[in-house]
Amino acid sequence: MVRLTINGATRDVDVDPETPLLWVLREQLGMTGTKYGCGVALCGACTVHVDGVATRSCVLPVSALTPEQAIVTIEGLSPDGSHPVQQAWLELDVPQCGYCQPGMIMAAAGLLAGNPNPTDDDISAEITNICRCGTYNRVRAAIKLAAADSDATQNG
Amino acid sequence: MTRVQLSRRHFVASSAAALGGFSLGFHVPFHAKAAADAAPAGIPEINAWVVIHPDETVVVRVARSEMGQGTLTGLAQLVAEELECDWGNVTTEYPTPGQNIARDRVWGSFSTGGSRGIRDSHDYVRRGGAVAREMLIAAAAAEWGVPAAECQVDKGVISHPGSGRTTTYGKVAQAATTMSPPAEVQLKDPKDWKIAGQPLPRLDTRDKLTGKQVYGADLVMPSMVNAAIKACPYFGGRIASFDAQAVTGMPGVQRVIQVDDTAVAVVAATWWQARTALDALPITWDEGPNRDVSSASIQVMLEEGLDAPDAFIGTEAGDARAALAGATRTVSAVYAFPYQNHATMEPMNATAVWTPERCEVWVPTQNGESSLAVAAEAAELPVGQCEVHKIHLGGGFGRRGNFQDYVRQVVRIARELPGTPVKLLWTREEDMLHGAYHPTTRCKLTASLGPDGQVDALHMRISGQSILASVRPEGMVGGKDPVVFQGLTADNPEGSFGYTVPNLLIDHAMRNPPVPPGFWRGVNLNQNAIYVECFIDELAHAAGIEPLAFRRRLMANHPRHLAVLEAAANGIGWSEPPPAGRHRGLAQIMGFGSYVAAAAEVSVTGGQLRIHRIVAATDPGHVVNPAQVERQVEGSFVYGLSAALFGECTVSGGRMEQENFDSYQVMLMDSMPAVETIIMPSGGFWGGVGEPTIAVAAPAVLNAIFAATGKRIRTLPLKNHDLA
Ligand code: FES
Ligand code: FES
């Protein structure tokens, strides 16, 4: 039995502790918003937050996690799609097929949490998720929009 | 494991429940016959395209598949435009391929490829909307006892100005189902469009932001089991043996199943367990007849074709061979384009349940009807006893159209487990090793160059793989594959050659290596544009004439080709020198019915390429949603530039060498240029937008690299070249 804290809730999961977090989320917990793209930490489709840090869950065995660590998935980023990153994504209508987008959004939210006003170079260096549909420019614009909106919120 | 034998009705209902808000197809009664009769019980279907709920919700049926390209929104806009409904009330659903067959293919083709979603169906979907509108108005008029011609409609509200009465679509929908459809309807002039032609947001965005959007890989059904598979990675090879005993005791493992003579699957409670066991499964492959095939051997094969005497002629004017033989000055160059994998972000997958009487498949597919045909064959059941439910695709790009190998596999596995839903998901490695690869070709171009830069003769010899020969031989014409000549044929509305050369020969020496080829977003336009547009740039350089002026002289008879080229050049500021350290290149072509051009601005510093900007101009005739066209153009550049910068599948020992994104690199955010999109619809025709602009990104960049470095890159990808 493995104990995890996911989106604020304690979850006890009966699973081989070597199972990657990605598959525990998708299969044991039925949270399929986090996607499988490569399985080897190359594409970012499986990005979640672990203690606020964007993390590729496909190579993270649940045995490496403690019950105290806060895991946040796309389902828990906000209760209703209202996180500033999701709002910016909606405003700019970013997704195409959408398969990479939960990972993109989690990576972007992770970036902004640590760096509220990222430069273009910061974005290029930090967002290394693969999007085969080619949403990169809108992802970049949406990150900047989310940054500006959070600024406005904080100042207002 | 407990295997629950579900009754069919229970199965359908509980699947829908398990999928939450995912309603596409699931409310459909199990029997195709019943489905043929009507929409969901009590909800009025006005016609095949339009269902209207009492609460005014308008359900537009969309036959083509949504894979990110926005066709769902665009097609709904066209129906809604003629329907005159309130766009805010519009939702969409997919009819099933089984329903299409049961209703004499009332929805036409389900095939979603070749950038055809809008351009091939705009007429009949608009008619569907217009007919529904007339029936709704007729129902209101009948209720009021007034002539229908005296009634008006705006945003789903019908009114009769003479009497001041009003009603709504939702209120008259039931009565409208009994009205006879008008024999003739007049479609609006696109000038008068209010919903179509607008940059409306996509209808399918919200669920993609919260993880709610269900893809095929995400399906969960009651008592479902999971399968992971390995097919023989050697082209033409098969299974020699495997040792199922070695994994039978592993956690969750239920079955090890051979699939045809080429693959073996492990079925387990979870996919991770299936995959873990599959990795531990000892398998011996019979490598088959192609053990000695390699990229090097394929290169030799294709190079032989460059000068071979026999070739299929695609385009011919005058006598190019004679003109070249007599020319005082000729320029010649050889280009090459490697194999590419589609690498959709969602790996191939499908879910099936099979019983001796019935087979159902849930699958992200670009062609539900192909999926159905393959499912029926694999199920060994009549098509009428099978059904396919389409699911949004996590990328398609051509991989999920003609090729339904994963559907065949999942049905063969499901046959071994009657009544149990089986989800098959490929690993990325499986996806990379079993592509339907963008074919490899080489091209030798030879042109005469007159003293003032005139091009009197051009011979373009393409040598390499035909897609149709392998995938759709019925499309061949006298042994020739016409698709090889995309963008290079005279007077072809699909893609005509934009230059006038009096003595012109474009021919194809077909050389088919034993590697399965497929339609890859942009198809043969990709490399044809590189060959032509880089070579034209070479000729301009050899003639000492600036490349735009050089092209203009050859394009006088091709005003639409020239118009997009001029627009792209203007957009980048071609007539002014670029900023210090930056260099520019141009390209144009016509494909998928649209005229496209690009102008790229790059810098090369210490061998490091940076693509700063690309201005793209496209003339697709008509535009249904300019915001989606912009996204398609940007996205197409990522696809095209990914191939140009990094993309290459190489063959060694009769199999592909690349298995994941470490060796098959793709473009990331850091190499993405700014993209400016100019949309200039000139009317009078309908062209596609998902693919054509891919083709101009690479040659525009390659020509800019030449301007920056003096290096002519003739073989891709760029990562294999030193630009320093
Ligand atoms: S699935 Fe984890 S990085 Fe690709
Ligand atoms: S939106 Fe399709 S892969 Fe990114």
Side-chain angles (χ1 to χ4, degrees), chain B residues 140-163:
Chain B
E143 191 184 312
W144 296 331
V146 302
E150 288 178 10
C151 297
Q152 300 172 348
V153 62
D154 181 37
K155 292 194 175 146
V157 177
I158 307 168
S159 58
H160 181 248
S163 64

Side-chain angles (χ1 to χ4, degrees), chain B residues 463-599:
Chain B
S463 171
Q465 196 158 10
S466 154
I467 302 173
L468 289 195
S470 155
V471 170
R472 215 160 61 203
E474 66 277 14
M476 309 278 281
V477 181
K480 173 168 91 173
D481 175 354
V483 179
V484 164
F485 302 100
Q486 270 185 307
L488 305 177
T489 37
D491 306 321
N492 185 335
E494 187 67 11
S496 65
F497 195 59
Y499 301 107
T500 304
V501 178
N503 299 288
L504 178 66
L505 176 62
I506 304 176
D507 55 6
H508 174 220
M510 192 184 294
R511 297 291 181 273
N512 292 329
V515 174
F519 299 100
W520 188 96
R521 189 177 182 184
V523 196
N524 292 312
L525 198 67
N526 292 320
Q527 72 273 17
N528 289 348
I530 292 171
Y531 301 158
V532 172
E533 288 304 294
C534 291
F535 188 65
I536 290 279
D537 209 71
E538 293 203 44
L539 292 176
H541 182 71
I545 300 172
E546 175 278 300
L548 178 59
F550 185 82
R551 283 182 173 81
R552 270 191 202 121
R553 299 151 63 135
L554 301 170
M555 295 177 77
N557 298 331
H558 306 277
R560 280 177 157 145
H561 292 77
L562 184 58
V564 289
L565 180 65
E566 299 273 10
N570 277 338
I572 207 138
W574 189 263
S575 56
E576 303 295 323
R582 297 207 189 172
H583 303 271
R584 290 173 180 158
L586 293 175
Q588 66 81 24
I589 199 147
M590 183 190 181
F592 304 94
S594 292
Y595 302 83
V596 293

Side-chain angles (χ1 to χ4, degrees), chain A residues 95-101 130-135, chain B residues 345 394-395:
Chain A
Q96 290 190 24
C97 84
Y99 192 82
C100 73
Q101 298 289 318
I130 297 175
C131 175
R132 291 290 283 157
C133 295
T135 60
Chain B
M345 280 316 295

